[in-house]
Amino acid sequence: MAINTVNKILWGSIIVAFFAYYLFPNYLHDRLSSRILLGLKRQIEPMPNLPKVAIGYNTNLDLIVKALDVFTRLKINPGEIESNHEFISSLAVLEEVFSFFFTTGSAAERVVEEETDFYEIIKAAMSLPNKTFFTGGNAGLMANRLAEEGCEVLLGGPVGSDLSSLLHPSVKVIRADESKEVEDQIHLIMEYPAGAKWGRHTAPRANRFIITRDSINSKLSAMEEFHDSLSSFLPSFVIISGFHLLEAQPIEYRKQRLFEASSHFKQLPLFQQTSQNSKERIALHVELASIGSEDLIRDISSIIIPITDSLGLNEQELGNLYRATNGREHDISSFRVPKVITVIDAIKHIFSISSADGNGDGDDGGRRLTRVHFHCLNFHVVAKKRNSIWKEAEASVASGSIACTKQACNFEGADVKIELPIVVSPSLNLSLDLDHPVVQWQDGDLDFALAPVLICRKPTKTVGLGDAISAIGLINHGLV
């Protein structure tokens, strides 16, 4: 009798589990996602005062379209070759480069060399019935996002009339010469959903491919005006972006502008006086973007990164930076869908080549890299030097994760997809607490914090996610 009762209970449990899993999977996923979201929110402390943030240099007008519609209008079909190229020198090369990144679902940005090719592509995009103009450029996107949070924001970048109408009304735009008309630069954002099919190719995740031919941002034309304006604005955080657009320029010009940027970085005070008896550290953050040229990546790594406080980047940018600076333990394919241990190894490598010391500021009194914020589809990592200018990274990485999902789909239909246990080194595996999902550990003189990401099943937007992640994570990472 007892055995029969136990069997009935057992079979009843199996039947309930079967129907719950196969008939109500979204219910279970949503319950799990809600629990993790609450856990992430629990790990963020409200900020008593929102910081003042100055952001420069790249701003533009984004033209957002469906990628495959553009190729249909151009009468371009997928060929047999998927190949990465530094530049788009023809429509045939466009097809090869797009195929290369489409098959891995990786975000990428490339410069179109010929003006006639660029305007042919733009003409095809403009002829589509479904198109959207949006605030563009890393600096412009981060300025809008932080203004929405309530931060006081100063923006230094080329802003014409169309872009001006799209900026948050509270963003203060630097205009040294009010009489000079600025032409908005158009960047084409070609988006595609997960599962999109193009010939024999299928996109494993939703993402975008960006093409540019930008004569203003590629010269960092806003750099001098931006830095000249900082002394009167007195920001707590300075965010710099747009170095990737130098790729359109000759090698010697790139180096010249990078050295000029580094000179401005070195002139930026470490502290600002907040009252008669107190002062506040000014944190400098650099946001990377997609770069095809290894030479440019190496120049940025040697000229810019060592004299910044903080760096933001995604899996492709981390992989390219790692390989361009002689990282050899992992090949570039390891960064397409990276494992946690691969990311951790690469971050440690970036710290090692930038020669950051443990005190946050260098022996020469200048800045040193003491923080890296990495983001990819299913997890984010913030790493910081111990005993540096940064407080614990728990709130930073949690807020970045939340910002990503909120912007991509406003938490509608989002799942967690992270490999468990979390392998962070050959000798250390970590578990995930659903109620406190930020995982923290130490490795040498580095402190790491990892947060899972609620991945949208049907994201409504992919542009600007990395910028939102980095911007929100930065202002939520308190300074000591």
Side-chain angles (χ1 to χ4, degrees), residues 13 19 25 66 156 173 204 260 276 320 355 390 394 404 454 461:
S13 300
F19 278 101
K66 294 179 180 178
V173 178
E260 287 167 352
Q276 188 173 1
N320 288 340
S355 303
W390 305 99
E394 182 179 16
C404 176
L454 298 174
K461 190 176 181 187

Side-chain angles (χ1 to χ4, degrees), residues 39-103:
L40 289 170
K41 289 181 177 179
R42 196 177 291 121
Q43 297 188 269
I44 302 172
E45 295 181 2
M47 288 180 285
N49 297 298
L50 289 168
K52 294 174 69 176
V53 186
I55 309 173
Y57 312 126
N58 66 321
T59 56
N60 62 266
L61 201 60
D62 277 350
L63 172 56
I64 305 174
V65 294
K66 294 179 180 178
L68 301 188
D69 289 351
V70 175
F71 285 99
T72 299
R73 284 295 169 96
L74 290 169
K75 297 185 169 132
I76 295 177
N77 297 312
E80 296 301 315
I81 301 173
E82 304 114 43
S83 180
N84 191 6
H85 297 263
E86 287 187 19
F87 302 98
I88 295 172
S89 57
S90 67
L91 295 184
V93 169
L94 170 65
E95 180 271 315
E96 291 181 5
V97 178
F98 177 77
S99 294
F100 179 83
F101 290 104
F102 182 82
T103 55

Side-chain angles (χ1 to χ4, degrees), residues 279-299:
K279 58 184 181 178
E280 181 182 88
R281 182 65 153 78
I282 302 172
L284 175 61
H285 174 88
V286 169
E287 189 70 13
L288 291 188
S290 179
I291 301 173
S293 167
E294 282 202 357
D295 288 333
L296 179 56
I297 296 170
R298 276 191 288 268
D299 287 341

Side-chain angles (χ1 to χ4, degrees), residues 246-432:
L246 284 169
E247 196 163 30
Q249 299 299 329
I251 291 176
E252 287 308 311
Y253 183 84
R254 297 177 193 170
K255 284 191 174 183
Q256 175 191 332
R257 293 303 273 162
L258 289 174
F259 278 118
E260 287 167 352
S262 73
S263 178
H264 286 296
F265 284 15
K266 291 171 183 176
Q267 292 171 27
L268 179 67
L270 282 176
F271 297 92
Q272 62 170 309
Q273 202 75 28
T274 54
S275 66
Q276 188 173 1
N277 298 317
S278 65
K279 58 184 181 178
E280 181 182 88
R281 182 65 153 78
I282 302 172
L284 175 61
H285 174 88
V286 169
E287 189 70 13
L288 291 188
S290 179
I291 301 173
S293 167
E294 282 202 357
D295 288 333
L296 179 56
I297 296 170
R298 276 191 288 268
D299 287 341
I300 292 172
S301 72
S302 62
I303 299 171
I304 296 297
I305 292 176
I307 56 172
T308 66
D309 293 306
S310 174
L311 181 69
L313 72 181
N314 67 17
E315 70 274 24
Q316 184 196 51
E317 295 144 14
L318 178 64
N320 288 340
L321 181 58
Y322 173 80
R323 294 293 296 179
T325 54
N326 298 316
R328 291 293 174 262
E329 189 173 340
H330 307 282
D331 61 32
I332 196 65
S333 64
S334 303
F335 292 89
R336 291 180 179 175
V337 186
K339 294 181 180 294
V340 172
I341 191 170
T342 303
V343 170
I344 301 307
D345 287 345
I347 289 175
K348 291 192 292 185
H349 172 79
I350 302 310
F351 274 115
S352 70
I353 63 168
S354 60
S355 303
D357 68 16
N359 296 317
D361 299 322
D363 296 333
D364 60 355
R367 291 178 170 80
R368 292 290 183 269
L369 182 69
T370 51
R371 177 183 183 271
V372 172
H373 190 166
F374 166 84
H375 49 87
C376 68
L377 179 66
N378 52 343
F379 66 91
H380 298 168
V381 174
V382 172
K384 71 175 189 71
K385 282 276 187 176
R386 196 168 309 120
N387 302 320
S388 66
I389 65 172
W390 305 99
K391 293 181 180 179
E392 294 305 310
E394 182 179 16
S396 175
V397 74
S399 61
S401 175
I402 291 172
C404 176
T405 311
K406 181 179 180 181
Q407 184 161 314
C409 64
N410 200 28
F411 309 109
E412 293 293 328
D415 300 325
V416 174
K417 296 177 182 177
I418 186 168
E419 189 175 330
L420 297 174
I422 300 169
V423 181
V424 300
S425 76
S427 59
L428 182 60
N429 297 349
L430 301 172
S431 58
L432 184 69

Side-chain angles (χ1 to χ4, degrees), residues 445-460:
D445 63 347
L446 296 175
D447 295 331
F448 288 92
L450 177 149
V453 178
L454 298 174
I455 303 170
C456 300
R457 296 176 209 141
K458 295 181 179 180
T460 57

Side-chain angles (χ1 to χ4, degrees), residues 7-55:
N7 285 339
K8 288 178 181 178
I9 294 172
L10 178 60
W11 278 108
S13 300
I14 291 172
I15 291 168
V16 169
F18 175 86
F19 278 101
Y21 186 83
Y22 286 101
L23 297 183
F24 306 105
N26 289 341
Y27 174 77
L28 294 176
H29 286 309
D30 291 344
R31 287 288 299 273
L32 179 65
S33 299
S34 297
R35 186 173 168 187
I36 289 178
L37 178 58
L38 287 173
L40 289 170
K41 289 181 177 179
R42 196 177 291 121
Q43 297 188 269
I44 302 172
E45 295 181 2
M47 288 180 285
N49 297 298
L50 289 168
K52 294 174 69 176
V53 186
I55 309 173

Side-chain angles (χ1 to χ4, degrees), residues 87-132:
F87 302 98
I88 295 172
S89 57
S90 67
L91 295 184
V93 169
L94 170 65
E95 180 271 315
E96 291 181 5
V97 178
F98 177 77
S99 294
F100 179 83
F101 290 104
F102 182 82
T103 55
T104 61
S106 301
E109 182 169 343
R110 289 294 180 268
V111 174
V112 179
E113 287 188 317
E114 297 297 327
E115 186 176 13
T116 52
D117 288 337
F118 181 70
Y119 284 110
E120 183 177 351
I121 300 166
I122 293 296
K123 182 180 178 182
M126 288 293 292
S127 71
L128 297 173
N130 297 316
K131 56 184 178 290
T132 305

